[in-house]
Amino acid sequence: MRVVVCVKQTPSTTAVFSVDNGIVNWDDPGGKPVVLNPWDEYAVEEAIRLQEAHGGDTIALSMGPDTSQEALKTCLAMGCTEAILVSDSAFEASDTLGTAKVLAAAIRKADDIQLAFFGKQAIDGDTGQTTVQTAQKLGWTPLTFVSQIKELDPEAGTITVVRLVEEGRETVKATLPAVISVVKEINEPRYPSFMGIRKANRAKIPTTSAAD
């Protein structure tokens, strides 16, 4: 099966930003590195585990500037089989709905995707809206705050998950394709292997434009 995991490159949690007239200068994180969004690490790990259990491909997908290739290389080093960067000046300053439109179009272009994974939220915007908005644009079932995938049957086209809700937990069965956002209770992300890092550093990541 083919799975997409949507990721974002974000500032480190230790970054210190300057604010000028109420506007955050995102281009200067105070000398701190940019990283793969920590919440997305759990989504990448879960997507790779499904790949290991059921075979197929795991595609890391990111919308952002060219520097987002570093986050995608982290995904490749962890075990994703492919990576795609969607980058265009037309996408600058997109809100969550604009981002969802672009990601949905890129997922359709990837072809034959059955599951799209997201982290719970990004640590910079902290809205948690993109998952559901992407699902709406695709017309797929959104499964949010997933803490466990209990059963996946690619042939029958069904998935059963456990969701964290205010009242506790609920078990939900849905049909594929679906969009899933995961919480940290779902797994423990692996560290990239040395060979994985070397392979990722040599990878040529294709870039998709707005015209594409």
Side-chain angles (χ1 to χ4, degrees), residues 59-110:
I59 305 166
L61 171 65
S62 185
M63 170 186 154
D66 286 341
T67 54
S68 296
Q69 290 200 23
E70 292 306 312
L72 290 172
K73 287 183 178 181
T74 299
C75 298
L76 291 173
M78 289 176 69
C80 288
T81 55
E82 300 177 40
I84 299 172
L85 174 63
V86 184
S87 184
D88 198 295
S89 59
F91 302 150
E92 291 181 8
S94 293
D95 60 8
T96 57
L97 182 57
T99 300
K101 289 180 179 179
V102 173
L103 291 176
I107 290 169
R108 290 192 196 96
K109 186 177 176 65

Side-chain angles (χ1 to χ4, degrees), residues 94-159:
S94 293
D95 60 8
T96 57
L97 182 57
T99 300
K101 289 180 179 179
V102 173
L103 291 176
I107 290 169
R108 290 192 196 96
K109 186 177 176 65
D111 195 30
D112 198 30
I113 302 299
Q114 293 178 283
L115 285 170
F117 280 90
F118 287 76
K120 182 171 77 76
Q121 62 200 70
I123 62 171
D124 51 2
D126 269 339
T127 66
Q129 296 174 336
T130 308
T131 301
V132 174
Q133 290 172 326
T134 303
Q136 194 274 333
K137 292 300 175 185
L138 288 168
W140 296 3
T141 302
L143 299 169
T144 55
F145 303 106
V146 172
S147 62
Q148 180 187 359
I149 296 179
K150 294 190 68 174
E151 184 179 359
L152 174 64
D153 189 337
E155 292 186 2
T158 59
I159 186 169

Side-chain angles (χ1 to χ4, degrees), residues 25 39 44 49 75 80 92 94 109 130 154 171 186 211-212:
N25 181 11
W39 288 110
V44 173
R49 290 188 183 190
C75 298
C80 288
E92 291 181 8
S94 293
K109 186 177 176 65
T130 308
T171 300
I186 196 167
D212 296 324

Side-chain angles (χ1 to χ4, degrees), residues 1 26-27 36 41 75 79 81-82 88 106 110 120 122 126 128 141 145 165 171 175 179 181-182 192 203:
M1 64 184 301
W26 293 105
D27 295 327
L36 173 64
E41 293 180 13
C75 298
T81 55
E82 300 177 40
D88 198 295
K120 182 171 77 76
D126 269 339
T141 302
F145 303 106
V165 294
T171 300
T175 56
V179 177
S181 72
V182 304

Side-chain angles (χ1 to χ4, degrees), residues 35-53:
V35 297
L36 173 64
N37 175 45
W39 288 110
D40 293 343
E41 293 180 13
Y42 299 94
V44 173
E45 175 66 27
E46 196 63 22
I48 292 171
R49 290 188 183 190
L50 288 185
Q51 171 193 308
E52 293 170 343

